Amino acid sequence: MTQTLPIGTLLLLLFALIPSSHGAQIPSPDQPKEIPVATNGQLFPWDRMRLPKTISPLHYDLSLHPNLTTLDFTGVVRIDLDVHEDTSVVVLHAKKMHISSALLLAPAGTRVLQVLEYPRFHQLALMSDVVLTKGRKYEVQLEFAANLSDSYHGFYKSSYRTSTGEVRVMASTQFEATFARGAFPCFDEPAFKANFTIRIIREPRHIAISNMPKICSSDDLDEGMWTDRQKWYSGDELDVRAIMDTWTLQEGFPLVTVEVKGREVRLSQERFLRTDNPSLTEGFLWQIPLTYMTSASRSVHRFLLKTKSDVLYLPEEVDWVKFNVNMSGYYMVHYGGGGWNSIISLLHHNHTALSGNDRASLIHNVFQLVSVEKVRLDTALELSLYLSRETEIMAVWQGFGELVPLYKLMEKRDMPELENQMKSFIVDLFRGLIDQQEWNDSGSVSQRVLRSYLLLFACVRNYSPCVTKATRLFNQWRDSDGTMSLPVDITMAVFMVGARTREGWDFLYEKYRTSLQMSVKRRLKWAMAVTTMTDKLQWMMEQSLNGEVMKTQDLPDVIVSVARNPHGFKLAWDFLRTHWHTLIQKFDLGSSTISHLVAGVTNQYSTREMLHEIRSFFDSLTEEAGSQMRCIQQSYETIEDNIRWMDRNLPLLQAWLNKHGSRNHHQEL
């Protein structure tokens, strides 16, 4: 839904029924200057905290699309510029944002701008290959994405409790004094005042509120959805209000079950929820605009599911049907009968018949359905075998996101044999893609993100070719005393391998201590936290608490990183409870930082012994020390969910891994 707001300060409140889950400070003017180097290693063209006065903004045309499920947002901003001096560089602010596109809309035509980032001052430099001439008007257009902030600045996530005790999430803005840069790229200084036109794209069940009057509101649920998993419903006109009411007046979202019998497609719906309490899923009904495609037609077909169950008829029998095309709808899909077998066969033999987004949605759906006992784990694992042929980042990323947590649960159960089997399976699954990666910074943004993750994953899992390459590069970098330039995309893998030896860890620490670049310090800090040396892990947490060498503001991230380390998770839990009272004084009881700590340290335990130990500790606290905090109650629920999942699926997992071993899955397919 698109909503246009007039000139003025924006205050956005978006509400959703999902659980709730720290930031850089503005550098002080008296900090020592350093040579400004952009995140890609290039020299940044501006070395001052205040922006240059060569250009000023006249008007912002801003569109924001927050997602209260994933707690992030995307946006597009078009800025009218007034040029005061000839220049080929536009310097403005953006904080913790990914810029996916930058264009100069000039009288001579549209040109692509190179984007350089300098996080120390939250600055972007837009590099033009033509000169912007004094006295002329230009326009730049930037597409961007970021996470909703954990602080109360910029575009941030917050929550409130309804009169019935229900916790809801909202996204709000705070732009004073220099926080607008956390919501969109802008000239974020008081001297650069300009007018705004703001559009909020939201789901119809959400509301948007501003301190200025609304100009207009569109009822589109999705771009182009109403303009044509052509009428949506045979013989019926579309009642938009009736559809919207089913999404705005009830919580949650639906699971649609699809079962194909010849030309007949039987559809049913229920609320998707991980619960054993049927009263929480009964009585829910949505009007769901379904999209689907089949083996007989790659066109997108539509059907409006208005009742608890219904039937649609295909023109002919088909081998497979895929609902929720390109993940355009807000619903899960379960393929009943032999439906999942048909999908698995398609993915194994002709996965490119579906888009990368469709393949990612299938991976997500099948593993989520395991958690609610709609699908057996071995079915989900059989589907995942096709990933040995996958190259699209969305599907690869989703595969990692579903498979990696499985062995992370085993790490904390002291099951080394099964854990190693699972690790070997995942490495084998992505071995071909890992071997294709170049150890440089070439390619598109998505290719570079994928490369960085794959090489890091391979090194963490001891994949020999990657460990050998990373070790050689680390030794060369260390022999140069850290002066050798490493490609940004591979530094995490190289640093992590280097941190495995005592000499390497000590060298990384020395570089951390002397580095002035925060992005480099963050990578070094993370690498040091994944070492196998427990004395170093304990020392890092203690030093971060002390705050002299490693900053106390980094302590939560250090503890959580140690907790995710298979050699450090017990250290992190012991440190958390030993220093609990100090931590809640430093970071405030009830803050998002404390919630982040509790969840990060406890959320991968899956034994009744650890649940008892964690519950005993928190129950021993007074209410003033946090015993009744929601994040603590959620940690119990998460561990209980993990226990149930492991009790139900561990035998299946063990049998399936024994059957498949660690043979080359690419050859198998």
Side-chain angles (χ1 to χ4, degrees):
M1 192 162 187
T2 303
Q3 191 159 303
T4 303
L5 305 177
I7 296 168
T9 304
L10 171 68
L11 173 63
L12 172 67
L13 301 174
L14 296 169
F15 304 96
L17 295 166
I18 56 175
S20 56
S21 51
H22 334 143
Q25 299 297 316
I26 299 297
S28 61
D30 58 347
Q31 284 182 307
K33 284 192 176 182
E34 65 178 19
I35 298 174
V37 178
T39 53
N40 67 350
Q42 287 184 233
L43 186 67
F44 193 82
W46 186 249
D47 63 351
R48 301 176 188 177
M49 186 170 69
R50 289 293 181 92
L51 298 181
K53 298 182 179 179
T54 53
I55 290 177
S56 61
L58 297 172
H59 181 80
Y60 295 83
D61 191 316
L62 173 65
S63 295
L64 290 173
H65 187 179
N67 187 321
L68 293 183
T69 301
T70 57
L71 299 179
D72 55 17
F73 64 95
T74 59
V76 180
V77 64
R78 296 178 66 157
I79 311 175
D80 294 327
L81 302 176
D82 192 4
V83 180
H84 308 298
E85 296 177 25
D86 288 359
T87 184
S88 59
V89 181
V90 180
V91 183
L92 67 166
H93 292 111
K95 181 179 178 182
K96 295 185 177 180
M97 284 188 183
H98 168 65
I99 308 299
S100 57
S101 172
L103 300 175
L104 174 67
L105 311 180
T110 300
R111 309 184 78 92
V112 175
L113 297 169
Q114 181 189 11
V115 180
L116 300 181
E117 300 177 56
Y118 188 49
R120 183 178 182 232
F121 290 164
H122 310 149
Q123 290 176 354
L124 299 177
L126 310 179
M127 312 294 289
S128 172
D129 58 359
V130 297
V131 174
L132 281 64
T133 307
K134 176 182 178 179
R136 303 183 73 171
K137 302 295 190 293
Y138 297 82
E139 188 176 23
V140 294
Q141 176 177 294
L142 302 174
E143 297 181 15
F144 56 94
N147 293 323
L148 290 169
S149 173
D150 287 318
S151 70
Y152 293 101
H153 306 147
F155 203 9
Y156 64 91
K157 60 179 181 255
S158 185
S159 64
Y160 72 102
R161 192 179 296 273
T162 68
S163 59
T164 61
E166 199 171 58
V167 176
R168 295 186 176 182
V169 168
M170 62 182 179
S172 305
T173 60
Q174 170 58 41
F175 290 167
E176 298 175 348
T178 56
F179 302 136
R181 65 191 68 180
F184 61 100
C186 59
F187 295 75
D188 195 15
E189 293 178 13
F192 294 103
K193 296 185 184 299
N195 296 326
F196 289 77
T197 299
I198 300 176
R199 295 175 181 84
I200 300 299
I201 302 169
R202 58 176 174 83
E203 294 181 32
R205 64 196 183 95
H206 297 155
I207 63 172
I209 301 175
S210 172
N211 61 355
M212 295 294 283
K214 177 173 66 179
I215 293 176
C216 67
S217 180
S218 168
D219 287 334
D220 293 338
L221 287 174
D222 195 60
E223 185 176 349
M225 181 176 288
W226 310 122
T227 60
D228 196 326
R229 202 354 46 212
Q230 180 180 355
K231 292 179 180 177
W232 289 87
Y233 190 76
S234 176
D236 226 350
E237 292 297 330
L238 196 67
D239 186 340
V240 175
R241 179 173 294 279
I243 294 172
M244 290 174 61
D245 283 350
T246 67
W247 295 91
T248 59
L249 301 180
Q250 61 185 348
E251 61 187 351
F253 60 92
L255 166 65
V256 176
T257 297
V258 177
E259 190 166 352
V260 181
K261 299 284 187 180
R263 291 179 50 239
E264 192 176 86
V265 182
R266 301 174 183 174
L267 305 166
S268 61
Q269 62 165 292
E270 60 188 286
R271 185 186 181 192
F272 180 83
L273 192 67
R274 296 184 185 89
T275 181
D276 297 326
N277 185 350
S279 67
L280 297 178
T281 59
E282 292 174 350
F284 288 83
L285 183 68
W286 287 264
Q287 292 196 27
I288 312 171
L290 302 175
T291 58
Y292 66 96
M293 58 189 296
T294 72
S295 59
S297 172
R298 302 302 165 85
S299 299
V300 178
H301 304 279
R302 295 169 170 81
F303 185 86
L304 183 63
L305 180 60
K306 303 171 67 174
T307 55
K308 193 74 173 176
S309 61
D310 206 339
V311 178
L312 70 83
Y313 294 92
L314 304 174
E316 57 188 308
E317 293 191 12
V318 297
D319 295 324
W320 55 264
V321 60
K322 166 67 173 71
F323 276 78
N324 200 3
V325 178
N326 275 320
M327 298 191 292
S328 59
Y330 195 61
Y331 56 94
M332 302 272 285
V333 183
H334 170 41
Y335 299 90
W340 280 113
N341 291 333
S342 298
I343 292 292
I344 291 170
S345 178
L346 171 65
L347 291 176
H348 283 193
H349 295 97
N350 186 23
H351 69 282
T352 57
L354 300 175
S355 70
N357 280 350
D358 276 324
R359 303 195 296 268
S361 73
L362 288 169
I363 298 166
H364 174 262
N365 281 198
V366 74
F367 278 94
Q368 293 303 308
L369 289 167
V370 171
S371 69
V372 294
E373 300 184 65
K374 294 286 187 179
V375 174
R376 285 167 54 102
L377 177 61
D378 49 2
T379 299
L381 292 170
E382 287 292 334
L383 182 145
S384 74
L385 288 173
Y386 103 90
L387 285 166
S388 64
R389 294 180 174 177
E390 186 58 83
T391 59
E392 292 286 334
I393 186 170
M394 283 293 292
V396 172
W397 202 270
Q398 193 67 54
F400 274 112
E402 301 295 345
L403 292 169
V404 168
L406 302 190
Y407 79 76
K408 297 300 289 183
L409 288 175
M410 299 171 210
E411 284 181 345
K412 295 177 173 59
R413 274 203 170 201
D414 192 23
M415 307 177 70
E417 184 177 349
L418 188 59
E419 175 193 334
N420 288 330
Q421 277 186 284
M422 190 67 197
K423 288 180 181 178
S424 297
F425 164 66
I426 301 174
V427 170
D428 281 349
L429 202 58
F430 296 103
R431 184 192 304 272
L433 197 55
I434 292 169
D435 289 342
Q436 294 172 22
Q437 302 307 307
E438 298 178 350
W439 292 65
N440 56 38
D441 287 339
S442 64
S444 66
V445 172
S446 62
Q447 288 171 327
R448 293 182 61 187
V449 170
L450 185 60
R451 174 191 298 123
S452 181
Y453 187 84
L454 284 170
L455 296 180
L456 177 60
F457 171 82
C459 288
V460 170
R461 311 312 157 207
N462 294 316
Y463 180 48
S464 181
C466 288
V467 172
T468 299
K469 178 77 169 178
T471 301
R472 184 169 71 250
L473 287 169
F474 179 80
N475 291 336
Q476 292 172 356
W477 178 71
R478 183 182 60 185
D479 291 344
S480 74
D481 196 30
T483 61
M484 185 181 88
S485 179
L486 287 171
V488 175
D489 296 352
I490 71 170
T491 53
M492 295 293 281
V494 172
F495 290 169
M496 187 280 301
V497 169
R500 289 179 168 177
T501 68
R502 195 164 295 274
E503 296 79 8
W505 195 97
D506 290 342
F507 183 79
L508 289 170
Y509 170 68
E510 182 60 23
K511 290 303 162 188
Y512 172 88
R513 190 181 64 81
T514 58
S515 176
L516 297 176
Q517 292 184 267
M518 294 308 298
S519 59
V520 174
K521 289 176 79 77
R522 280 194 298 270
R523 290 193 287 268
L524 291 166
K525 177 184 65 181
W526 182 89
M528 291 188 291
V530 296
T531 184
T532 59
M533 296 177 287
T534 56
D535 60 321
K536 296 294 190 183
L537 299 174
Q538 185 69 30
W539 185 88
M540 278 187 74
M541 293 189 290
E542 291 170 352
Q543 287 299 311
S544 299
L545 182 63
N546 181 271
E548 291 183 4
V549 180
M550 306 188 82
K551 295 182 178 178
T552 300
Q553 68 191 48
D554 293 337
L555 177 59
D557 285 337
V558 170
I559 296 174
V560 171
S561 294
V562 172
R564 291 172 179 164
N565 184 332
H567 302 276
F569 61 86
K570 198 63 170 65
L571 294 176
W573 164 240
D574 290 341
F575 188 90
L576 180 73
R577 56 180 176 175
T578 299
H579 298 283
W580 176 258
H581 293 281
T582 303
L583 290 169
I584 62 175
Q585 288 175 356
K586 287 182 177 292
F587 299 107
D588 295 333
L589 192 65
S591 68
S592 59
T593 302
I594 294 297
S595 297
H596 170 64
L597 271 171
V598 172
V601 171
T602 66
N603 65 6
Q604 289 175 344
Y605 284 114
S606 62
T607 66
R608 291 172 177 82
E609 292 79 10
M610 277 309 301
L611 175 61
H612 175 73
E613 184 174 316
I614 291 169
R615 192 188 294 273
S616 295
F617 168 71
F618 286 121
D619 284 351
S620 71
L621 301 175
T622 63
E623 187 170 346
E624 291 75 15
S627 64
Q628 302 304 309
M629 284 196 304
R630 178 60 184 148
C631 66
I632 292 174
Q633 308 308 313
Q634 288 173 331
S635 72
Y636 302 156
E637 295 167 7
T638 298
I639 299 171
E640 288 167 348
D641 284 343
N642 292 343
I643 292 170
R644 284 193 293 269
W645 193 98
M646 292 293 275
D647 288 348
R648 185 167 63 243
N649 293 299
L650 196 58
L652 271 176
L653 179 61
Q654 189 144 25
W656 192 88
L657 288 173
N658 288 338
K659 173 185 172 184
H660 286 78
S662 58
R663 66 179 183 256
N664 190 308
H665 299 285
H666 190 278
Q667 291 180 351
E668 175 190 357
L669 293 177

